[in-house]
Amino acid sequence: MTVNGNSSRRHLRVAIIGGGPGGLATAIALSKIPDVTVNIYEQATVLREAGAGISIGSNTWNALELLGVADTLTSGHPTWTVLNMNGRSGEELTRREKVRDETGRPPIRTQRTKLQSALLAHVKPGILQLSKRLARMVDKGHEGVELYFEDGTITTADLVVGADGIRSVVRDTAWTDYEIKFTGTTIWRTLLPWDDVKDLDPRFEITGWWHTPTTHVYFSPVGEGLWEIASRAWQDPKIHSANKKSWGVPVENSHVESHFTEYLPQIREALARVPPGGWREFAAFAGPELAKLTAWDNKIVLVGDSSHALSGAFGSGAGFAIEDGYILARALEYWKNDTSKALPLFDAIRLPYYSRMYAHLASEADKRAAKLKALGNPTFDEQVKNKIITDGGKDMSWIYQNDIGAVWKESVQQLEGTYT
């Protein structure tokens, strides 16, 4: 029995706030649905991705296939092997060898701009509007949501999709008591030619993390002769603070290098070869789990980082955002654009998924804390080994091999089963 019956399809005006991977993917998915008008409102004057590299694994490939985008993403470095290393001694702590899966595509590390360009190529002309910074929203009841932009323009939408990241204005407006806080972690990212560093250590050509107890340096080729450095340092957030708006700001080379003086000489030399002005700084913020991803009587929905403020946990944020956009579109299509039914279905599918992530991270943090306590006075090397998580020590296929198309089919079968 089909639960959506033969009811007429309503016309739906959708405003997507944010032109990152989540916003672009959601627009692609929604544009395939009849009687849906989609607009993306992006605050930047020029669409470009902040950051350096991004990982594309099985779950993300699955979602890109469903959107018809996968074949457009052709650049990247295969990451069949991933290392975790002691950054001071050079000891190899773990080596993960990935296996081929049903997608038939290799896991890759690529430039964030390459994913953005691949998605943008499938966004219909006229949908993306730049220089549109959202100032506020007003709930107009049955008339929809009124959106006010800093350039003075106003528009009205039946559905607002918050795809505006961990610092989401949409979330902060609709969930007024929600707060993100500085985690203590600061990230510095850059890209430089592989030829500039390939003489330093042959292991630098293998994707991997080099650790100390409170920092790490991530190295990986990203294709097209480029090499990525993503370095992180943690300081106690009770003592150190950060600006919530600190995202992709330029920073002096000496400031970055000062956090990694304990590392092997070749690692310090790699950091020193970054050209002046090459580093960008990102302050990591995170927030608590949301009880719902929808608000304002099913006129607001969150996708991507705005819906789960985990600050880069699991290294698959773009994949999660693309999955969100796909499920949102399928739910709206199934319920003939009836948001009162489609958005609760979206919540029912995606909310438990993110809840499981929060629970997993809390469990792993507890385990690491307990192990350190048991060690009493752990050495430098013991602290480094304790921070390494290899797939969380358990099967993580529910994330990295997630097949969002199969998840949708199973959800529909369960839904229709309740109506038979």
Side-chain angles (χ1 to χ4, degrees):
M1 178 178 176
T2 302
V3 301
N4 56 0
N6 295 314
S7 59
S8 60
R9 185 185 301 272
R10 64 175 291 198
H11 182 79
L12 196 67
R13 299 166 297 173
V14 181
I16 299 173
I17 308 302
L24 296 174
T26 302
I28 294 167
L30 291 176
S31 296
K32 301 176 187 292
I33 303 174
D35 299 315
V36 172
T37 300
V38 182
N39 284 288
I40 303 173
Y41 300 96
E42 165 57 42
Q43 65 182 8
T45 55
V46 178
L47 190 65
R48 57 172 174 261
E49 267 286 355
I54 195 167
S55 293
I56 308 294
S58 179
N59 58 324
T60 309
W61 280 126
N62 279 322
L64 291 172
E65 289 275 8
L66 291 166
L67 295 181
V69 175
D71 288 341
T72 311
L73 182 60
T74 57
S75 174
H77 172 76
T79 55
W80 292 114
T81 302
V82 178
L83 303 177
N84 276 288
M85 312 289 291
N86 184 312
R88 190 170 73 174
S89 69
E91 177 190 1
E92 183 176 306
L93 303 173
T94 67
R95 175 182 291 255
R96 181 185 175 201
E97 302 288 354
K98 301 178 184 178
V99 297
R100 296 187 181 274
D101 55 42
E102 295 178 356
T103 66
R105 298 179 185 272
I108 63 170
R109 188 75 177 175
T110 189
Q111 299 168 65
R112 296 185 70 92
T113 52
K114 295 300 179 181
L115 174 61
Q116 185 181 65
S117 296
L119 289 164
L120 191 58
H122 293 264
V123 174
K124 294 181 179 179
I127 287 179
L128 177 64
Q129 299 186 39
L130 299 173
S131 301
K132 292 292 184 180
R133 182 184 294 271
L134 182 65
R136 63 189 180 97
M137 304 186 300
V138 177
D139 187 352
K140 304 295 287 186
H142 294 300
E143 296 177 15
V145 178
E146 209 161 57
L147 298 102
Y148 294 79
F149 296 93
E150 290 188 359
D151 65 359
T153 58
I154 304 171
T155 192
T156 303
D158 302 304
L159 176 62
V160 177
V161 179
D164 47 345
I166 203 167
R167 294 158 173 75
S168 173
V169 175
V170 174
R171 186 195 58 228
D172 290 351
T173 304
W175 284 263
T176 55
D177 59 347
Y178 192 85
E179 183 181 5
I180 60 173
K181 296 180 179 180
F182 179 50
T183 65
T185 295
T186 303
I187 309 155
W188 299 279
R189 297 186 174 114
T190 192
L191 292 175
L192 65 164
W194 167 241
D195 284 348
D196 289 359
V197 293
K198 67 181 182 181
D199 63 302
L200 293 175
D201 193 314
R203 295 172 294 182
F204 289 177
E205 197 171 5
I206 304 173
T207 298
W209 286 263
W210 299 73
H211 299 270
T212 71
T214 59
T215 70
H216 76 238
V217 178
Y218 174 86
F219 292 149
S220 182
V222 292
E224 297 187 335
L226 292 175
W227 193 65
E228 173 189 9
I229 307 176
S231 53
R232 293 187 178 216
W234 182 86
Q235 296 171 305
D236 190 343
K238 295 177 182 178
I239 301 172
H240 300 270
S241 61
N243 188 330
K244 183 179 176 181
K245 298 185 183 299
S246 177
W247 193 252
V249 298
V251 63
E252 293 291 331
N253 291 42
S254 58
H255 176 69
V256 178
E257 292 173 39
S258 69
H259 292 83
F260 304 97
T261 57
E262 291 184 289
Y263 280 77
L264 291 166
Q266 61 265 42
I267 295 175
R268 299 199 305 272
E269 177 61 23
L271 302 182
R273 291 186 184 183
V274 174
W279 289 106
R280 292 294 181 271
E281 181 176 279
F282 302 78
F285 283 72
E289 181 181 349
L290 285 167
K292 290 181 66 177
L293 307 180
T294 58
W296 288 10
D297 294 325
N298 297 307
K299 295 191 290 289
I300 306 287
V301 62
L302 302 177
V303 302
D305 288 348
S306 65
S307 72
H308 58 285
L310 292 173
S311 191
F314 302 103
S316 196
F320 300 153
I322 296 168
E323 290 174 341
D324 284 343
Y326 175 78
I327 291 296
L328 176 62
R330 296 289 67 76
L332 285 166
E333 182 180 44
Y334 185 82
W335 284 115
K336 298 184 184 296
N337 301 342
D338 184 344
T339 56
S340 70
K341 295 179 178 178
L343 265 63
L345 177 56
F346 173 84
D347 248 343
I349 295 172
R350 295 304 282 172
L351 194 61
Y353 190 63
Y354 291 129
S355 182
R356 187 175 180 183
M357 292 183 193
Y358 275 94
H360 176 81
L361 289 174
S363 173
E364 290 300 322
D366 289 344
K367 290 176 185 176
R368 288 197 300 273
K371 188 174 180 181
L372 276 180
K373 184 177 181 181
L375 288 169
N377 187 26
T379 66
F380 180 98
D381 290 347
E382 286 174 334
Q383 291 179 66
V384 170
K385 287 181 179 179
N386 187 59
K387 70 180 284 200
I388 307 302
I389 301 175
T390 306
D391 289 348
K394 62 178 68 174
D395 177 22
M396 295 294 287
S397 62
W398 59 277
I399 287 182
Y400 298 115
Q401 278 77 50
N402 191 38
D403 184 342
I404 198 64
V407 169
W408 169 248
K409 290 177 182 177
E410 182 180 347
S411 299
V412 170
Q413 289 171 357
Q414 293 176 352
L415 181 67
E416 295 191 347
T418 65
Y419 284 79
T420 57

